[in-house]
Amino acid sequence: MFNQTSKYILVLALLGTGTAITSCKETWLKPEPLSFYEPELTFKDIGGLKATLVACERNLRLEWYGDAMPMITESIFSDIAVEGTTDKSGPAQNLNLLITPDAQLNHIDYNRIGWYWLEGYKGIKYANTAISRIDLPTYKSEQEKNELLGAAYFHRAARYYRLTQQFGDVPLILTEINGPKLDFQTTKREVILKKMKEDLEFAEQWVPAVTDKGMVNKGSVSHLLTKVNLALGLFDDAIKSATNVIDGGTHKLMTSRFGANANDASRNVIWDLHRPQNKAIAANTEGLMLVIDRLNIEGNVEGGMLIMRNAVPLWFNNINTPNGNRGTIDTYGIEIDQVVKYGRGIGRLRPTDYSQNQIWDDKNDLRHAPGNWVRMEDIYYNNPAIKGEDSYYGKPLQLKNAEGVVLTIDTIRNWFDWPNYKLFVEDPLRVQPQGGNSDWYVFRLAETYLLRAEAYAWKGDMAKAAEDVNVVRARANCAPLAAGKINIGTILDERARELYFEEPRKTELTRIAYIFAQTGKPAPNGKTYSLDKFSDDNYFYDRVMEKSDFYNKGVKTRHADEYTMSPYHVLWPIPQSAIDGNTQARINQNKGYAGYEKNVPPLTEIPK
């Protein structure tokens, strides 16, 4: 995939497609193209159009990679985690104070809200380039043309699905932009999603069931279509599109040992499923959409995922023995070398008690079993300096001494449990591993089952919903849930158990909050909601307040930054730079943020 079309990647960077929304107020300058590049000639070659899809695939993976990766921001605006950086002010903890339209919204020391805005429209730009120029090449068949068009529709729909759950109503751009444009208008979320549904239904008919790993296939299209159908409240359609994946014959849940370590009796299928070297192999039939990133291949992400750095606790510092000595260090090659085993974490992604403890309802759950799940008590006091002097050397960590005194100065950053089977990524380039290059799941069949379960639950068919939830639970060696125990909340619990750091949790919670507001159906908390008060009273906020042990509970960091959240955080602020740069029309701001009072009615249909 990379070798065939990589020569076109540079061309994409030179395209005069413009950014989706620009703050540039200067005269539009048309760059002199390099001698080898003319757009009309480049896109007469099918490879040129395919390069736009390679760009989409390449950028799709960036959500999970690098330091303070964007997925952390998705996670901390939810019930499963908070921002754990406590040694400075600035990270997104006091959301009421820090999350404003003109704040720093795209920096690893703050948050990545602005990254989602910019990257969303960048992906739309690449997809629109292929869509707008689809008729230029000569194709061998209609199938060849529509496969490419369907893949482009998928990438555009994937970006708009996310944008409409993160920001609500946003500008809709359906064509390639070849010149300056400063008159973007906000379009209603439902209008955008209906168009994406139409496009995905086309793609579902043409995209092949089997493609190279990392490329769009029929299963990934139907899976995304299921999410769009749910977002539109079309539950029968969601059941149909999910069933297309589940019964399609191509994808099956992995229930037996496979791949690397398959003969290691100390491991299990959950471990196998999440090994980097197993995710994209032919034997793995569960992955629907993956991003590909491996050591020493062209186009990989420099430095890799850094997932252990960001999502594992700072276990090697600020933890004392009961005798008062420094108990842990991250030195490589010492007698009790734990840095190779667990990585050198700094605790940016701090799971809530809900993620660590409350959701685990079955003691036999393989996802929470020793080896797959690491508890702080599984770590040992390993500081060589205290060997022979402190009786606790070589013994398991403990949070408190006999008098009840906490033995770490920071329980937020230094002390929490984590799913090692998800987060352990080999890192051969560093002696203190932080998480190297790895393929990653974007969509996985286990989620398809949970999406169909959700659709059944919205329809009130709890028996069918329980069947789908229990397929996922059975693979994890859990006892089945009775139909009477199923509701949207218990399905969210199962998603948290199965999809930690895979699903964009904020996106999915907001989608569900929208459905409660659209339908008026009672939520698990007994409340009903409405769209006209969405930013003031919503299930997203109530769910986070119910499950999180941080937000609005008076919890503060060492720098006295308090964890706060408000109902309007169900939608993120539109970056002020996007609004200010759009000088000839109005991009609306979300309620709760400065500038909302200047809003104009959004578009309720797509202009002809």
mmCIF file of all heavy atoms in Angstrom, residues 52-65 70-71 115-116 119-120 122-123 126 154-159 162 214-216 220 224 289-292 301 440-443:
data_model
loop_
_atom_site.group_PDB
_atom_site.id
_atom_site.type_symbol
_atom_site.label_atom_id
_atom_site.label_comp_id
_atom_site.label_asym_id
_atom_site.label_seq_id
_atom_site.Cartn_x
_atom_site.Cartn_y
_atom_site.Cartn_z
ATOM 1 N N THR A 52 -4.646 10.056 -2.205
ATOM 2 C CA THR A 52 -5.441 10.839 -1.250
ATOM 3 C C THR A 52 -5.994 9.934 -0.157
ATOM 4 O O THR A 52 -6.138 10.352 0.995
ATOM 5 C CB THR A 52 -6.596 11.567 -1.959
ATOM 6 O OG1 THR A 52 -7.553 10.618 -2.436
ATOM 7 C CG2 THR A 52 -6.099 12.412 -3.106
ATOM 8 N N LEU A 53 -6.311 8.687 -0.519
ATOM 9 C CA LEU A 53 -6.808 7.749 0.484
ATOM 10 C C LEU A 53 -5.691 7.260 1.386
ATOM 11 O O LEU A 53 -5.903 7.024 2.577
ATOM 12 C CB LEU A 53 -7.505 6.574 -0.201
ATOM 13 C CG LEU A 53 -8.673 6.945 -1.112
ATOM 14 C CD1 LEU A 53 -9.369 5.694 -1.622
ATOM 15 C CD2 LEU A 53 -9.669 7.859 -0.410
ATOM 16 N N VAL A 54 -4.492 7.109 0.827
ATOM 17 C CA VAL A 54 -3.337 6.785 1.664
ATOM 18 C C VAL A 54 -3.117 7.882 2.699
ATOM 19 O O VAL A 54 -2.801 7.621 3.861
ATOM 20 C CB VAL A 54 -2.079 6.573 0.808
ATOM 21 C CG1 VAL A 54 -0.851 6.406 1.694
ATOM 22 C CG2 VAL A 54 -2.236 5.355 -0.088
ATOM 23 N N ALA A 55 -3.309 9.130 2.276
ATOM 24 C CA ALA A 55 -3.173 10.243 3.221
ATOM 25 C C ALA A 55 -4.232 10.147 4.313
ATOM 26 O O ALA A 55 -3.952 10.406 5.490
ATOM 27 C CB ALA A 55 -3.290 11.570 2.479
ATOM 28 N N CYS A 56 -5.444 9.768 3.946
ATOM 29 C CA CYS A 56 -6.495 9.576 4.951
ATOM 30 C C CYS A 56 -6.113 8.474 5.929
ATOM 31 O O CYS A 56 -6.275 8.628 7.150
ATOM 32 C CB CYS A 56 -7.810 9.224 4.261
ATOM 33 S SG CYS A 56 -8.607 10.572 3.366
ATOM 34 N N GLU A 57 -5.629 7.369 5.394
ATOM 35 C CA GLU A 57 -5.236 6.233 6.243
ATOM 36 C C GLU A 57 -4.072 6.605 7.152
ATOM 37 O O GLU A 57 -4.057 6.259 8.339
ATOM 38 C CB GLU A 57 -4.857 5.046 5.361
ATOM 39 C CG GLU A 57 -6.020 4.479 4.571
ATOM 40 C CD GLU A 57 -5.589 3.710 3.336
ATOM 41 O OE1 GLU A 57 -4.360 3.587 3.099
ATOM 42 O OE2 GLU A 57 -6.465 3.255 2.581
ATOM 43 N N ARG A 58 -3.105 7.310 6.580
ATOM 44 C CA ARG A 58 -1.940 7.727 7.359
ATOM 45 C C ARG A 58 -2.361 8.599 8.533
ATOM 46 O O ARG A 58 -1.939 8.397 9.677
ATOM 47 C CB ARG A 58 -0.989 8.492 6.448
ATOM 48 C CG ARG A 58 0.216 9.127 7.151
ATOM 49 C CD ARG A 58 0.812 10.224 6.275
ATOM 50 N NE ARG A 58 -0.130 11.321 6.092
ATOM 51 C CZ ARG A 58 -0.049 12.216 5.110
ATOM 52 N NH1 ARG A 58 0.908 12.112 4.212
ATOM 53 N NH2 ARG A 58 -0.931 13.185 5.025
ATOM 54 N N ASN A 59 -3.215 9.582 8.276
ATOM 55 C CA ASN A 59 -3.592 10.521 9.326
ATOM 56 C C ASN A 59 -4.553 9.912 10.334
ATOM 57 O O ASN A 59 -4.605 10.350 11.483
ATOM 58 C CB ASN A 59 -4.200 11.778 8.702
ATOM 59 C CG ASN A 59 -3.143 12.668 8.074
ATOM 60 O OD1 ASN A 59 -2.065 12.185 7.719
ATOM 61 N ND2 ASN A 59 -3.425 13.939 7.919
ATOM 62 N N LEU A 60 -5.307 8.901 9.918
ATOM 63 C CA LEU A 60 -6.244 8.264 10.828
ATOM 64 C C LEU A 60 -5.545 7.703 12.052
ATOM 65 O O LEU A 60 -6.074 7.735 13.163
ATOM 66 C CB LEU A 60 -6.977 7.142 10.077
ATOM 67 C CG LEU A 60 -8.245 6.564 10.703
ATOM 68 C CD1 LEU A 60 -9.337 7.620 10.807
ATOM 69 C CD2 LEU A 60 -8.732 5.377 9.886
ATOM 70 N N ARG A 61 -4.335 7.215 11.878
ATOM 71 C CA ARG A 61 -3.636 6.557 12.985
ATOM 72 C C ARG A 61 -3.126 7.540 14.026
ATOM 73 O O ARG A 61 -2.870 7.164 15.167
ATOM 74 C CB ARG A 61 -2.464 5.736 12.451
ATOM 75 C CG ARG A 61 -1.407 6.555 11.768
ATOM 76 C CD ARG A 61 -0.370 5.703 11.058
ATOM 77 N NE ARG A 61 0.440 6.529 10.171
ATOM 78 C CZ ARG A 61 1.481 6.078 9.512
ATOM 79 N NH1 ARG A 61 1.841 4.827 9.623
ATOM 80 N NH2 ARG A 61 2.164 6.875 8.726
ATOM 81 N N LEU A 62 -2.993 8.811 13.665
ATOM 82 C CA LEU A 62 -2.344 9.765 14.561
ATOM 83 C C LEU A 62 -3.120 9.988 15.856
ATOM 84 O O LEU A 62 -2.571 10.498 16.827
ATOM 85 C CB LEU A 62 -2.142 11.106 13.842
ATOM 86 C CG LEU A 62 -1.263 11.057 12.593
ATOM 87 C CD1 LEU A 62 -1.174 12.436 11.956
ATOM 88 C CD2 LEU A 62 0.118 10.515 12.906
ATOM 89 N N GLU A 63 -4.382 9.569 15.881
ATOM 90 C CA GLU A 63 -5.184 9.738 17.088
ATOM 91 C C GLU A 63 -4.626 8.937 18.262
ATOM 92 O O GLU A 63 -4.805 9.314 19.420
ATOM 93 C CB GLU A 63 -6.627 9.323 16.808
ATOM 94 C CG GLU A 63 -7.569 9.577 17.968
ATOM 95 C CD GLU A 63 -9.024 9.395 17.597
ATOM 96 O OE1 GLU A 63 -9.313 8.901 16.477
ATOM 97 O OE2 GLU A 63 -9.883 9.735 18.428
ATOM 98 N N TRP A 64 -3.932 7.847 17.978
ATOM 99 C CA TRP A 64 -3.438 6.964 19.038
ATOM 100 C C TRP A 64 -1.920 7.039 19.223
ATOM 101 O O TRP A 64 -1.375 6.294 20.031
ATOM 102 C CB TRP A 64 -3.794 5.511 18.712
ATOM 103 C CG TRP A 64 -5.260 5.225 18.771
ATOM 104 C CD1 TRP A 64 -5.992 4.874 19.874
ATOM 105 C CD2 TRP A 64 -6.186 5.259 17.678
ATOM 106 N NE1 TRP A 64 -7.304 4.681 19.523
ATOM 107 C CE2 TRP A 64 -7.452 4.906 18.189
ATOM 108 C CE3 TRP A 64 -6.060 5.551 16.321
ATOM 109 C CZ2 TRP A 64 -8.596 4.846 17.383
ATOM 110 C CZ3 TRP A 64 -7.190 5.484 15.515
ATOM 111 C CH2 TRP A 64 -8.439 5.139 16.046
ATOM 112 N N TYR A 65 -1.240 7.918 18.505
ATOM 113 C CA TYR A 65 0.225 7.870 18.480
ATOM 114 C C TYR A 65 0.839 9.181 18.976
ATOM 115 O O TYR A 65 0.232 10.247 18.897
ATOM 116 C CB TYR A 65 0.716 7.578 17.051
ATOM 117 C CG TYR A 65 0.356 6.192 16.584
ATOM 118 C CD1 TYR A 65 -0.923 5.897 16.131
ATOM 119 C CD2 TYR A 65 1.280 5.152 16.620
ATOM 120 C CE1 TYR A 65 -1.280 4.627 15.730
ATOM 121 C CE2 TYR A 65 0.939 3.874 16.213
ATOM 122 C CZ TYR A 65 -0.345 3.618 15.766
ATOM 123 O OH TYR A 65 -0.684 2.348 15.364
ATOM 124 N N PRO A 70 -4.030 12.370 20.916
ATOM 125 C CA PRO A 70 -5.380 12.936 21.008
ATOM 126 C C PRO A 70 -6.391 12.049 21.724
ATOM 127 O O PRO A 70 -7.325 12.563 22.359
ATOM 128 C CB PRO A 70 -5.755 13.152 19.533
ATOM 129 C CG PRO A 70 -4.446 13.404 18.851
ATOM 130 C CD PRO A 70 -3.472 12.492 19.538
ATOM 131 N N MET A 71 -6.252 10.728 21.645
ATOM 132 C CA MET A 71 -7.209 9.849 22.301
ATOM 133 C C MET A 71 -7.303 10.103 23.803
ATOM 134 O O MET A 71 -8.336 9.824 24.429
ATOM 135 C CB MET A 71 -6.843 8.384 22.027
ATOM 136 C CG MET A 71 -7.828 7.369 22.590
ATOM 137 S SD MET A 71 -9.547 7.593 22.088
ATOM 138 C CE MET A 71 -9.489 7.075 20.377
ATOM 139 N N TRP A 115 -6.857 19.780 17.687
ATOM 140 C CA TRP A 115 -6.330 18.777 16.756
ATOM 141 C C TRP A 115 -7.485 18.078 16.066
ATOM 142 O O TRP A 115 -7.431 17.845 14.850
ATOM 143 C CB TRP A 115 -5.480 17.767 17.515
ATOM 144 C CG TRP A 115 -4.880 16.705 16.635
ATOM 145 C CD1 TRP A 115 -3.663 16.722 16.034
ATOM 146 C CD2 TRP A 115 -5.478 15.454 16.249
ATOM 147 N NE1 TRP A 115 -3.460 15.568 15.298
ATOM 148 C CE2 TRP A 115 -4.562 14.777 15.413
ATOM 149 C CE3 TRP A 115 -6.697 14.851 16.538
ATOM 150 C CZ2 TRP A 115 -4.834 13.528 14.867
ATOM 151 C CZ3 TRP A 115 -6.973 13.599 15.985
ATOM 152 C CH2 TRP A 115 -6.048 12.957 15.160
ATOM 153 N N TYR A 116 -8.518 17.718 16.805
ATOM 154 C CA TYR A 116 -9.645 17.023 16.198
ATOM 155 C C TYR A 116 -10.338 17.902 15.159
ATOM 156 O O TYR A 116 -10.781 17.412 14.114
ATOM 157 C CB TYR A 116 -10.642 16.579 17.272
ATOM 158 C CG TYR A 116 -10.219 15.319 17.970
ATOM 159 C CD1 TYR A 116 -9.697 15.345 19.264
ATOM 160 C CD2 TYR A 116 -10.327 14.089 17.344
ATOM 161 C CE1 TYR A 116 -9.313 14.180 19.903
ATOM 162 C CE2 TYR A 116 -9.940 12.913 17.968
ATOM 163 C CZ TYR A 116 -9.429 12.968 19.250
ATOM 164 O OH TYR A 116 -9.028 11.808 19.873
ATOM 165 N N GLU A 119 -7.661 18.189 12.186
ATOM 166 C CA GLU A 119 -7.427 16.908 11.539
ATOM 167 C C GLU A 119 -8.693 16.379 10.888
ATOM 168 O O GLU A 119 -8.644 15.718 9.849
ATOM 169 C CB GLU A 119 -6.885 15.898 12.551
ATOM 170 C CG GLU A 119 -6.255 14.677 11.935
ATOM 171 C CD GLU A 119 -5.089 14.998 11.009
ATOM 172 O OE1 GLU A 119 -4.212 15.786 11.409
ATOM 173 O OE2 GLU A 119 -5.082 14.470 9.886
ATOM 174 N N GLY A 120 -9.838 16.667 11.494
ATOM 175 C CA GLY A 120 -11.098 16.265 10.883
ATOM 176 C C GLY A 120 -11.273 16.881 9.507
ATOM 177 O O GLY A 120 -11.576 16.186 8.528
ATOM 178 N N LYS A 122 -8.906 18.184 7.690
ATOM 179 C CA LYS A 122 -7.828 17.757 6.800
ATOM 180 C C LYS A 122 -8.201 16.439 6.129
ATOM 181 O O LYS A 122 -8.015 16.260 4.914
ATOM 182 C CB LYS A 122 -6.520 17.600 7.588
ATOM 183 C CG LYS A 122 -5.306 17.346 6.706
ATOM 184 C CD LYS A 122 -4.045 17.118 7.547
ATOM 185 C CE LYS A 122 -3.652 18.340 8.329
ATOM 186 N NZ LYS A 122 -2.387 18.112 9.096
ATOM 187 N N GLY A 123 -8.735 15.504 6.905
ATOM 188 C CA GLY A 123 -9.180 14.245 6.326
ATOM 189 C C GLY A 123 -10.303 14.453 5.321
ATOM 190 O O GLY A 123 -10.362 13.786 4.275
ATOM 191 N N TYR A 126 -8.758 15.671 2.029
ATOM 192 C CA TYR A 126 -8.180 14.597 1.221
ATOM 193 C C TYR A 126 -9.273 13.773 0.549
ATOM 194 O O TYR A 126 -9.184 13.440 -0.640
ATOM 195 C CB TYR A 126 -7.320 13.678 2.095
ATOM 196 C CG TYR A 126 -6.081 14.310 2.668
ATOM 197 C CD1 TYR A 126 -5.571 13.900 3.895
ATOM 198 C CD2 TYR A 126 -5.403 15.320 1.980
ATOM 199 C CE1 TYR A 126 -4.419 14.463 4.430
ATOM 200 C CE2 TYR A 126 -4.253 15.885 2.507
ATOM 201 C CZ TYR A 126 -3.763 15.463 3.735
ATOM 202 O OH TYR A 126 -2.634 16.020 4.263
ATOM 203 N N PHE A 154 -16.179 6.685 2.797
ATOM 204 C CA PHE A 154 -15.956 6.201 4.153
ATOM 205 C C PHE A 154 -15.113 7.193 4.952
ATOM 206 O O PHE A 154 -15.462 7.543 6.087
ATOM 207 C CB PHE A 154 -15.258 4.840 4.129
ATOM 208 C CG PHE A 154 -14.759 4.398 5.483
ATOM 209 C CD1 PHE A 154 -15.574 3.687 6.342
ATOM 210 C CD2 PHE A 154 -13.473 4.709 5.909
ATOM 211 C CE1 PHE A 154 -15.132 3.291 7.595
ATOM 212 C CE2 PHE A 154 -13.010 4.317 7.164
ATOM 213 C CZ PHE A 154 -13.844 3.610 8.004
ATOM 214 N N HIS A 155 -13.998 7.623 4.372
ATOM 215 C CA HIS A 155 -13.098 8.504 5.126
ATOM 216 C C HIS A 155 -13.765 9.838 5.432
ATOM 217 O O HIS A 155 -13.595 10.379 6.531
ATOM 218 C CB HIS A 155 -11.795 8.689 4.359
ATOM 219 C CG HIS A 155 -10.865 7.528 4.481
ATOM 220 N ND1 HIS A 155 -10.245 7.200 5.657
ATOM 221 C CD2 HIS A 155 -10.463 6.590 3.571
ATOM 222 C CE1 HIS A 155 -9.492 6.128 5.487
ATOM 223 N NE2 HIS A 155 -9.600 5.740 4.230
ATOM 224 N N ARG A 156 -14.518 10.366 4.491
ATOM 225 C CA ARG A 156 -15.218 11.627 4.767
ATOM 226 C C ARG A 156 -16.270 11.427 5.854
ATOM 227 O O ARG A 156 -16.393 12.244 6.779
ATOM 228 C CB ARG A 156 -15.859 12.171 3.494
ATOM 229 C CG ARG A 156 -16.499 13.546 3.688
ATOM 230 C CD ARG A 156 -16.886 14.184 2.367
ATOM 231 N NE ARG A 156 -18.027 13.491 1.734
ATOM 232 C CZ ARG A 156 -18.536 13.838 0.558
ATOM 233 N NH1 ARG A 156 -17.985 14.843 -0.139
ATOM 234 N NH2 ARG A 156 -19.563 13.187 0.041
ATOM 235 N N ALA A 157 -17.009 10.336 5.757
ATOM 236 C CA ALA A 157 -18.045 10.069 6.755
ATOM 237 C C ALA A 157 -17.450 9.823 8.132
ATOM 238 O O ALA A 157 -18.025 10.229 9.156
ATOM 239 C CB ALA A 157 -18.887 8.866 6.325
ATOM 240 N N ALA A 158 -16.294 9.145 8.185
ATOM 241 C CA ALA A 158 -15.648 8.897 9.474
ATOM 242 C C ALA A 158 -15.297 10.199 10.170
ATOM 243 O O ALA A 158 -15.495 10.349 11.382
ATOM 244 C CB ALA A 158 -14.398 8.043 9.273
ATOM 245 N N ARG A 159 -14.793 11.172 9.404
ATOM 246 C CA ARG A 159 -14.445 12.467 9.998
ATOM 247 C C ARG A 159 -15.693 13.227 10.425
ATOM 248 O O ARG A 159 -15.740 13.827 11.501
ATOM 249 C CB ARG A 159 -13.636 13.300 9.007
ATOM 250 C CG ARG A 159 -12.133 13.134 9.060
ATOM 251 C CD ARG A 159 -11.664 11.729 8.916
ATOM 252 N NE ARG A 159 -10.214 11.619 8.764
ATOM 253 C CZ ARG A 159 -9.608 10.612 8.161
ATOM 254 N NH1 ARG A 159 -10.329 9.632 7.632
ATOM 255 N NH2 ARG A 159 -8.296 10.555 8.077
ATOM 256 N N ARG A 162 -17.307 11.890 13.645
ATOM 257 C CA ARG A 162 -16.617 12.357 14.847
ATOM 258 C C ARG A 162 -16.891 13.828 15.116
ATOM 259 O O ARG A 162 -17.184 14.230 16.251
ATOM 260 C CB ARG A 162 -15.114 12.095 14.710
ATOM 261 C CG ARG A 162 -14.739 10.627 14.584
ATOM 262 C CD ARG A 162 -15.080 9.827 15.838
ATOM 263 N NE ARG A 162 -14.330 10.307 16.971
ATOM 264 C CZ ARG A 162 -13.044 10.009 17.210
ATOM 265 N NH1 ARG A 162 -12.384 9.201 16.379
ATOM 266 N NH2 ARG A 162 -12.436 10.481 18.273
ATOM 267 N N GLY A 214 -5.547 -2.311 6.857
ATOM 268 C CA GLY A 214 -5.350 -0.874 6.942
ATOM 269 C C GLY A 214 -6.139 -0.105 5.906
ATOM 270 O O GLY A 214 -6.178 1.127 5.962
ATOM 271 N N MET A 215 -6.754 -0.808 4.967
ATOM 272 C CA MET A 215 -7.569 -0.171 3.946
ATOM 273 C C MET A 215 -9.046 -0.418 4.236
ATOM 274 O O MET A 215 -9.411 -1.324 4.984
ATOM 275 C CB MET A 215 -7.188 -0.687 2.564
ATOM 276 C CG MET A 215 -5.741 -0.411 2.184
ATOM 277 S SD MET A 215 -5.292 -1.034 0.544
ATOM 278 C CE MET A 215 -6.230 0.059 -0.505
ATOM 279 N N VAL A 216 -9.897 0.384 3.630
ATOM 280 C CA VAL A 216 -11.336 0.304 3.873
ATOM 281 C C VAL A 216 -11.880 -1.000 3.294
ATOM 282 O O VAL A 216 -11.580 -1.353 2.150
ATOM 283 C CB VAL A 216 -12.061 1.501 3.232
ATOM 284 C CG1 VAL A 216 -13.564 1.415 3.490
ATOM 285 C CG2 VAL A 216 -11.504 2.816 3.774
ATOM 286 N N SER A 220 -15.865 -2.489 7.644
ATOM 287 C CA SER A 220 -15.629 -1.192 8.291
ATOM 288 C C SER A 220 -16.671 -0.173 7.855
ATOM 289 O O SER A 220 -17.093 0.674 8.651
ATOM 290 C CB SER A 220 -14.221 -0.689 7.997
ATOM 291 O OG SER A 220 -13.985 -0.559 6.610
ATOM 292 N N LEU A 224 -19.267 1.640 10.521
ATOM 293 C CA LEU A 224 -19.448 3.095 10.629
ATOM 294 C C LEU A 224 -20.887 3.476 10.329
ATOM 295 O O LEU A 224 -21.456 4.356 11.000
ATOM 296 C CB LEU A 224 -18.483 3.804 9.682
ATOM 297 C CG LEU A 224 -18.578 5.340 9.640
ATOM 298 C CD1 LEU A 224 -18.333 5.958 11.015
ATOM 299 C CD2 LEU A 224 -17.594 5.901 8.616
ATOM 300 N N MET A 289 -11.351 -2.365 10.864
ATOM 301 C CA MET A 289 -10.527 -1.268 10.359
ATOM 302 C C MET A 289 -9.336 -1.122 11.279
ATOM 303 O O MET A 289 -9.492 -1.066 12.504
ATOM 304 C CB MET A 289 -11.326 0.041 10.317
ATOM 305 C CG MET A 289 -10.588 1.210 9.696
ATOM 306 S SD MET A 289 -10.392 0.995 7.905
ATOM 307 C CE MET A 289 -9.185 2.268 7.521
ATOM 308 N N LEU A 290 -8.151 -1.114 10.702
ATOM 309 C CA LEU A 290 -6.933 -0.961 11.487
ATOM 310 C C LEU A 290 -6.120 0.188 10.924
ATOM 311 O O LEU A 290 -6.271 0.572 9.756
ATOM 312 C CB LEU A 290 -6.082 -2.231 11.451
ATOM 313 C CG LEU A 290 -6.650 -3.499 12.067
ATOM 314 C CD1 LEU A 290 -7.363 -4.330 11.007
ATOM 315 C CD2 LEU A 290 -5.545 -4.326 12.712
ATOM 316 N N VAL A 291 -5.242 0.724 11.756
ATOM 317 C CA VAL A 291 -4.192 1.605 11.275
ATOM 318 C C VAL A 291 -2.884 0.835 11.401
ATOM 319 O O VAL A 291 -2.683 0.078 12.354
ATOM 320 C CB VAL A 291 -4.140 2.941 12.043
ATOM 321 C CG1 VAL A 291 -5.324 3.809 11.662
ATOM 322 C CG2 VAL A 291 -4.116 2.727 13.553
ATOM 323 N N ILE A 292 -2.031 0.993 10.422
ATOM 324 C CA ILE A 292 -0.802 0.206 10.324
ATOM 325 C C ILE A 292 0.394 1.092 10.647
ATOM 326 O O ILE A 292 0.578 2.149 10.043
ATOM 327 C CB ILE A 292 -0.643 -0.389 8.908
ATOM 328 C CG1 ILE A 292 -1.908 -1.166 8.505
ATOM 329 C CG2 ILE A 292 0.595 -1.261 8.829
ATOM 330 C CD1 ILE A 292 -2.245 -2.329 9.402
ATOM 331 N N VAL A 301 5.178 6.140 12.251
ATOM 332 C CA VAL A 301 5.161 7.304 13.131
ATOM 333 C C VAL A 301 6.442 7.319 13.946
ATOM 334 O O VAL A 301 6.720 6.373 14.687
ATOM 335 C CB VAL A 301 3.938 7.277 14.064
ATOM 336 C CG1 VAL A 301 3.971 8.480 15.007
ATOM 337 C CG2 VAL A 301 2.652 7.287 13.256
ATOM 338 N N TRP A 440 -3.002 -0.783 15.203
ATOM 339 C CA TRP A 440 -4.020 -0.526 16.224
ATOM 340 C C TRP A 440 -5.403 -0.704 15.620
ATOM 341 O O TRP A 440 -5.632 -0.395 14.452
ATOM 342 C CB TRP A 440 -3.873 0.896 16.777
ATOM 343 C CG TRP A 440 -4.492 1.073 18.136
ATOM 344 C CD1 TRP A 440 -5.649 1.737 18.439
ATOM 345 C CD2 TRP A 440 -3.978 0.600 19.379
ATOM 346 N NE1 TRP A 440 -5.896 1.685 19.786
ATOM 347 C CE2 TRP A 440 -4.885 0.987 20.396
ATOM 348 C CE3 TRP A 440 -2.853 -0.147 19.729
ATOM 349 C CZ2 TRP A 440 -4.688 0.668 21.735
ATOM 350 C CZ3 TRP A 440 -2.655 -0.460 21.064
ATOM 351 C CH2 TRP A 440 -3.558 -0.051 22.053
ATOM 352 N N TYR A 441 -6.327 -1.196 16.425
ATOM 353 C CA TYR A 441 -7.708 -1.353 15.971
ATOM 354 C C TYR A 441 -8.423 -0.001 15.956
ATOM 355 O O TYR A 441 -8.396 0.738 16.951
ATOM 356 C CB TYR A 441 -8.492 -2.280 16.903
ATOM 357 C CG TYR A 441 -7.993 -3.695 16.990
ATOM 358 C CD1 TYR A 441 -7.508 -4.210 18.190
ATOM 359 C CD2 TYR A 441 -8.039 -4.543 15.888
ATOM 360 C CE1 TYR A 441 -7.077 -5.521 18.291
ATOM 361 C CE2 TYR A 441 -7.595 -5.859 15.982
ATOM 362 C CZ TYR A 441 -7.110 -6.341 17.186
ATOM 363 O OH TYR A 441 -6.678 -7.649 17.280
ATOM 364 N N VAL A 442 -9.090 0.302 14.858
ATOM 365 C CA VAL A 442 -10.027 1.425 14.803
ATOM 366 C C VAL A 442 -11.433 0.905 15.066
ATOM 367 O O VAL A 442 -12.151 1.422 15.918
ATOM 368 C CB VAL A 442 -9.951 2.144 13.444
ATOM 369 C CG1 VAL A 442 -10.934 3.315 13.394
ATOM 370 C CG2 VAL A 442 -8.531 2.636 13.180
ATOM 371 N N PHE A 443 -11.837 -0.122 14.298
ATOM 372 C CA PHE A 443 -13.105 -0.809 14.521
ATOM 373 C C PHE A 443 -12.814 -2.296 14.684
ATOM 374 O O PHE A 443 -12.001 -2.856 13.958
ATOM 375 C CB PHE A 443 -14.057 -0.639 13.337
ATOM 376 C CG PHE A 443 -14.472 0.774 13.043
ATOM 377 C CD1 PHE A 443 -14.782 1.145 11.738
ATOM 378 C CD2 PHE A 443 -14.579 1.721 14.034
ATOM 379 C CE1 PHE A 443 -15.181 2.433 11.432
ATOM 380 C CE2 PHE A 443 -14.968 3.019 13.743
ATOM 381 C CZ PHE A 443 -15.271 3.372 12.443
#
